[in-house]
């Protein structure tokens, strides 16, 4: 019986992967708003009722694709963070930050339609469930970890905190990064947003006929974002 269950589980995994692969093709061709379970089933040679056993609704399939995309970009960020510490060369908060930013950009450029699904326009009629929150936070958690490590190992050049921003900065520190001072929590959230703003401008074409040396431009911009959160770029 266990062998039969194992074979069924493997078959389910394979069919689920095929459904999601075909759905990603639809995303690339038509966009998320036009994703259709019937069209996916037709392309796979399945009847709609069979596909519904895997994904009961379009929103369930969208959620699976969104979680996969967040997990993929999060894994790219985490892998770059680890690699920066294992390269043999002394790693600072600044080098880790730039490495992670570049890894996220590389993933976005390699997967523009999946990036658009999670950082582009909202899909009409779709409301993301709680299942997406953890995966969506993975890149942000890596950035928080970099700043926390730098605070411990090399110190931070904390930016001044305007009095009018203090209540919100204290809330952000408590809710998002309890180990960080409010003076760094607010610029960290701003830097996270600006990181994805830079990437979105490139992925969605706003840099066309504006920025040509895009990798150099991005590295410099991400380096400046690191400065705004107090990263010094030196050890001790």
């Amino acid at each position: 019986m266990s062998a039969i269950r194992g074979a069924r589980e493997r078959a389910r995994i394979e069919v689920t992967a095929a459904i999601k692969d075909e759905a990603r093709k639809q995303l690339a061709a038509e966009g998320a708003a036009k994703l259709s379970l019937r069209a996916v089933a037709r392309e796979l040679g399945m009847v709609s009722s069979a596909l519904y056993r895997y994904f009961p609704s379009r929103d369930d399939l969208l959620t699976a694709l969104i979680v996969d995309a967040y997990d993929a970009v999060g894994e790219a960020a985490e892998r770059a963070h680890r690699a920066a510490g294992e390269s043999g060369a002394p790693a600072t908060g600044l080098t880790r930050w730039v490495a992670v930013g570049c890894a996220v950009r590389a993933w976005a450029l390699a997967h523009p339609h999946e990036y658009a699904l999670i950082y582009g326009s909202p899909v009409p009629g779709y409301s993301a469930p709680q299942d997406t929150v953890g995966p969506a936070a993975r890149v942000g958690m890596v950035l928080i970890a970099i700043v926390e490590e730098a605070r411990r190992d090399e110190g931070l050049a904390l930016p001044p905190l305007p009095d009018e921003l203090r209540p919100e900065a204290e809330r952000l520190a408590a809710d998002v990064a309890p180990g960080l001072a409010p003076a760094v929590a607010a610029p960290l959230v701003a830097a996270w947003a600006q990181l994805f703003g830079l990437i979105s401008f490139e992925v969605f074409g706003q840099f066309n006929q504006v920025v040509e040396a895009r990798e150099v431009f991005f590295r410099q911009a991400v380096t400046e974002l690191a400065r705004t959160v107090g990263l010094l770029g030196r050890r001790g």
Side-chain angles (χ1 to χ4, degrees), residues 202-221:
E202 185 170 2
V203 171
F204 300 140
Q206 281 91 344
F207 280 157
N208 291 349
Q209 300 182 18
V210 179
V211 178
E212 294 184 358
R214 293 178 186 173
E215 183 172 354
V216 173
F217 180 87
F218 180 82
R219 281 183 170 273
Q220 180 60 32

Side-chain angles (χ1 to χ4, degrees), residues 4-93:
I4 294 174
R5 285 197 300 270
R8 288 174 177 171
E9 182 60 26
R10 286 193 298 274
R12 184 174 184 83
I13 291 171
E14 290 173 1
V15 174
T16 300
I19 292 170
K20 291 195 288 188
D21 285 344
E22 179 56 38
R24 291 187 187 99
K25 292 178 183 177
Q26 284 198 21
L27 290 181
E30 303 288 345
K34 293 185 178 180
L35 180 64
S36 163
L37 290 182
R38 289 184 180 274
V40 171
R42 182 173 60 249
E43 290 299 320
L44 293 175
M46 300 173 64
V47 296
S48 298
S49 58
L51 190 147
Y52 291 143
R53 292 200 293 269
Y54 295 86
F55 296 101
S57 70
R58 180 209 69 160
D59 285 5
D60 291 309
L61 179 53
L62 266 179
T63 295
L65 297 176
I66 288 168
V67 168
D68 282 355
Y70 275 132
D71 278 338
V73 69
E75 182 179 345
E78 291 160 3
R79 188 166 54 246
H81 184 207
R82 290 193 302 269
E86 297 168 356
S87 63
T92 66

Side-chain angles (χ1 to χ4, degrees), residues 56-137:
S57 70
R58 180 209 69 160
D59 285 5
D60 291 309
L61 179 53
L62 266 179
T63 295
L65 297 176
I66 288 168
V67 168
D68 282 355
Y70 275 132
D71 278 338
V73 69
E75 182 179 345
E78 291 160 3
R79 188 166 54 246
H81 184 207
R82 290 193 302 269
E86 297 168 356
S87 63
T92 66
L94 178 59
T95 58
R96 293 175 191 270
W97 178 281
V98 173
V100 167
C102 289
V104 172
R105 171 180 177 265
W107 182 88
L109 293 176
H111 304 87
H113 302 294
E114 292 168 70
Y115 180 87
L117 178 63
I118 53 178
Y119 292 111
S121 300
V123 180
Y126 174 79
S127 181
Q130 191 69 21
D131 295 355
T132 63
V133 174

